[in-house]
């Protein structure tokens, strides 16, 4: 069964600190993995998208890693800011040929940045 | 234009009302999606349209009726909803392609409350 597991479920850190969120998946065959940031009551916003051949991708203070062998990904946030408080969702697409993209969502990590 | 626009942002409706949610994109995406998201849960896929044709219906009750009048517009018609249908309804769009690098863009959502 295709699944995406994220940890921790929630995390609280102080402003300015770094943190790392984890994602393990069993989606097969793998196509790509995406990290989204979702503010409460808003739609998810894409942070990174990584394919099988990519190990690391950065977007400002966000750095995602992918290990396709162990089927693990991480999202590292550097020098956190209050505006980073949100849910971070790991999403994996299975490679199923031509057609609309059907995605498998993780449950998300709720990150809270305290001043 | 790189956005998916959803209207209205908030909607309160009675159980006997008929209302519609609207979604629009001008990125040339030929796949469009409706998701339902309850609080602290990941989005759940409801419907997928590919080239303006319904390709996936995830066993959604008939009180939800999707419509794709053209390649830029997606509607969700609501009738005789139940209080448990209260949720954030998200629209998304993407390319229809086997290439992994294509993104998947979400709208900001419609917060629906059924009273």
């Amino acid at each position: 069964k295709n699944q995406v597991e994220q940890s921790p479920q929630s995390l609280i850190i102080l402003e300015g600190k770094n943190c790392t969120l984890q994602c393990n998946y069993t989606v097969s065959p793998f196509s790509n993995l995406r990290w989204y940031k979702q503010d409460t009551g808003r739609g998810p916003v894409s942070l990174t998208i990584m394919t099988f051949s990519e190990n690391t991708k950065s977007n400002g203070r966000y750095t995602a890693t992918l290990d396709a062998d162990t089927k693990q990904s991480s999202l590292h946030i550097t020098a956190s800011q209050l505006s980073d408080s949100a849910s971070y969702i790991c999403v994996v697409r299975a490679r199923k040929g031509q057609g609309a993209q059907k995605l498998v969502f993780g449950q998300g990590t709720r990150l809270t940045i305290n001043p | 234009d790189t956005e998916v626009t959803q209207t209205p942002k908030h909607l309160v409706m009675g159980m006997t009302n008929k209302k519609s949610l609207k979604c629009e994109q001008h990125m040339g995406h030929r796949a469009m999606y409706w998701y339902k998201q309850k609080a602290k849960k990941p989005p759940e896929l409801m419907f997928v349209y590919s080239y303006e044709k319904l390709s996936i219906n995830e066993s959604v009750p008939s009180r939800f009726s999707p419509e794709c009048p053209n390649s830029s517009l997606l509607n969700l018609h609501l009738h005789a909803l139940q209080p448990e249908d209260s949720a954030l309804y998200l629209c998304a769009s993407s390319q229809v392609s086997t290439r992994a690098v294509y993104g998947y863009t979400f709208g900001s959502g419609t917060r629906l409350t059924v009273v």
Side-chain angles (χ1 to χ4, degrees), chain A residues 31-34 36 38-46 49-52 54 57 87 89 91 93 95-103 105-108 110, chain B residues 9 31-33 35 37 40-45 48-51 55-56 58 88 90 94-109 111:
Chain A
S31 176
N32 61 65
L33 183 146
R34 311 145 190 255
Y36 284 91
Q38 186 175 24
D39 294 313
T40 301
R42 304 297 304 272
V45 175
S46 179
I49 176 170
M50 300 180 73
T51 59
F52 184 87
E54 296 175 299
K57 183 169 280 190
S87 288
I89 308 174
V91 184
R93 179 192 179 190
R95 182 165 38 87
K96 290 186 176 179
Q98 189 73 16
Q101 302 182 39
K102 194 171 179 184
L103 307 180
F105 289 79
Q107 293 289 319
R110 177 68 207 175
Chain B
K9 292 193 184 306
M32 297 185 76
Y33 312 77
Y35 285 85
Q37 186 176 24
K40 299 183 180 180
K41 297 289 187 182
E44 297 177 7
L45 184 65
V48 180
Y49 274 83
S50 180
Y51 295 105
S55 62
I56 296 175
E58 293 285 3
L88 181 68
L90 295 166
S94 74
Q95 295 281 6
V96 179
S97 172
T98 56
R99 291 197 62 194
V101 297
Y102 284 113
Y104 198 102
T105 304
F106 285 90
S108 293
R111 169 67 62 188

Side-chain angles (χ1 to χ4, degrees), chain B:
Chain B
D1 188 351
T2 59
E3 290 188 346
V4 174
T5 303
Q6 289 189 244
T7 56
K9 292 193 184 306
H10 302 276
L11 179 62
V12 179
M13 61 184 290
M15 290 188 284
T16 59
N17 291 159
K18 286 185 180 181
K19 297 286 184 182
S20 296
L21 309 184
K22 297 186 183 302
C23 174
E24 187 169 3
Q25 58 87 15
H26 297 286
M27 294 179 279
H29 290 173
R30 300 306 296 274
M32 297 185 76
Y33 312 77
W34 279 115
Y35 285 85
K36 174 183 177 180
Q37 186 176 24
K38 302 286 272 186
K40 299 183 180 180
K41 297 289 187 182
E44 297 177 7
L45 184 65
M46 299 174 71
F47 302 104
V48 180
Y49 274 83
S50 180
Y51 295 105
E52 297 86 67
K53 287 185 169 41
L54 184 65
S55 62
I56 296 175
N57 176 343
E58 293 285 3
S59 303
V60 179
S62 60
R63 57 186 185 269
F64 295 92
S65 175
E67 177 196 20
C68 190
N70 60 55
S71 61
S72 299
L73 294 175
L74 183 66
N75 299 321
L76 186 63
H77 303 298
L78 314 172
H79 174 55
L81 295 193
Q82 303 296 311
E84 58 264 29
D85 295 322
S86 298
L88 181 68
Y89 287 83
L90 295 166
C91 174
S93 71
S94 74
Q95 295 281 6
V96 179
S97 172
T98 56
R99 291 197 62 194
V101 297
Y102 284 113
Y104 198 102
T105 304
F106 285 90
S108 293
T110 294
R111 169 67 62 188
L112 175 67
T113 303
V114 182
V115 297

Side-chain angles (χ1 to χ4, degrees), chain A:
Chain A
K1 181 181 177 183
N2 287 334
Q3 284 189 314
V4 176
E5 301 282 343
Q6 290 187 244
S7 62
Q9 277 191 323
S10 61
L11 181 62
I12 301 173
I13 63 172
L14 292 175
E15 184 180 10
K17 298 295 187 182
N18 304 335
C19 66
T20 300
L21 314 181
Q22 301 290 344
C23 173
N24 297 336
Y25 61 92
T26 58
V27 178
S28 182
F30 175 85
S31 176
N32 61 65
L33 183 146
R34 311 145 190 255
W35 283 95
Y36 284 91
K37 176 186 178 185
Q38 186 175 24
D39 294 313
T40 301
R42 304 297 304 272
V45 175
S46 179
L47 297 175
T48 65
I49 176 170
M50 300 180 73
T51 59
F52 184 87
S53 59
E54 296 175 299
N55 300 120
T56 304
K57 183 169 280 190
S58 292
N59 178 2
R61 294 181 296 102
Y62 301 102
T63 299
T65 66
L66 175 65
D67 186 334
D69 292 330
T70 61
K71 298 187 178 180
Q72 295 179 327
S73 175
S74 67
L75 180 69
H76 185 75
I77 304 175
T78 304
S80 60
Q81 300 176 358
L82 297 178
S83 58
D84 292 332
S85 294
S87 288
Y88 291 82
I89 308 174
C90 177
V91 184
V92 180
R93 179 192 179 190
R95 182 165 38 87
K96 290 186 176 179
Q98 189 73 16
Q101 302 182 39
K102 194 171 179 184
L103 307 180
V104 183
F105 289 79
Q107 293 289 319
T109 292
R110 177 68 207 175
L111 177 64
T112 302
I113 311 298
N114 284 337

